[in-house]
Amino acid sequence: MNEKLPKVLKAAGLDILSCMQCGTCTGSCPSGRQTALNTRRILRDARKNRVAILSDDALWLCTTCYTCQERCPRNIPITEALLELRRLAIKEGFMLPEHRKISEMVVEFGHAVPLDKETKQKREELGLDPIPETVQKYPEALQELRNLLKACKFDEIVAQK
Ligand code: SF4
Ligand code: SF4
């Protein structure tokens, strides 16, 4: 990572430099009450260009509820900044195994949770088409989706380990 984190965030329209470390974001965070997520610390580390933050699993514990962003006295786009940090993390090859697995499913089947045999059978018993109107039903649509994922190099990102 050659570029400085605050610069990258600012270039994305997300200025975090006015953060005064008041902790309102951390104190308001529903996820942080149950997990290791400490929003104030993540922003502080990003401000100080501590790139190790990109490999911190806590980055992925935000549920994007936007409570912190609504309450920040400095109107910092906190949630957006966290999402941008995630994008940077992915670019640097950091992805939780669970997310990678789900992404692999999307690349292969067009769905994070493809229909299994049992579900198809249950749908039939209920008088439904065993496969609903999704890419799983239309191979050409699945191929189009794969083309899109390939065009934005999503497949490459998922494959890198
Ligand atoms: S609430 Fe805003 S100003 Fe306070 S620590 Fe969080 S980001 Fe910084
Ligand atoms: S948007 Fe994320 S960091 Fe902010 S309060 Fe919600 S879960 Fe916490």
Side-chain angles (χ1 to χ4, degrees), residues 144-155:
E144 281 176 18
L145 174 69
R146 284 189 183 143
N147 292 344
L148 280 172
L149 296 175
K150 198 175 177 57
C152 61
K153 298 187 189 295
F154 184 76
D155 57 344

Side-chain angles (χ1 to χ4, degrees), residues 37-55:
L37 174 59
N38 183 331
T39 316
R40 182 194 60 77
R41 181 182 62 77
I42 290 176
L43 290 182
R44 183 200 61 202
D45 287 357
R47 258 179 70 165
K48 297 196 168 189
N49 194 39
R50 292 181 181 148
V51 288
I53 191 65
L54 298 181
S55 61

Side-chain angles (χ1 to χ4, degrees), residues 29-84:
C29 178
S31 175
R33 266 176 234 138
Q34 317 291 335
T35 69
L37 174 59
N38 183 331
T39 316
R40 182 194 60 77
R41 181 182 62 77
I42 290 176
L43 290 182
R44 183 200 61 202
D45 287 357
R47 258 179 70 165
K48 297 196 168 189
N49 194 39
R50 292 181 181 148
V51 288
I53 191 65
L54 298 181
S55 61
D56 189 338
D57 287 356
L59 200 54
W60 300 93
L61 298 172
C62 165
T63 61
T64 67
C65 71
Y66 283 83
T67 306
C68 55
Q69 191 160 317
E70 282 184 340
R71 293 186 178 172
C72 174
R74 289 280 164 91
N75 289 324
I76 292 172
I78 304 171
T79 315
E80 308 297 337
L82 292 177
L83 291 172
E84 187 63 24

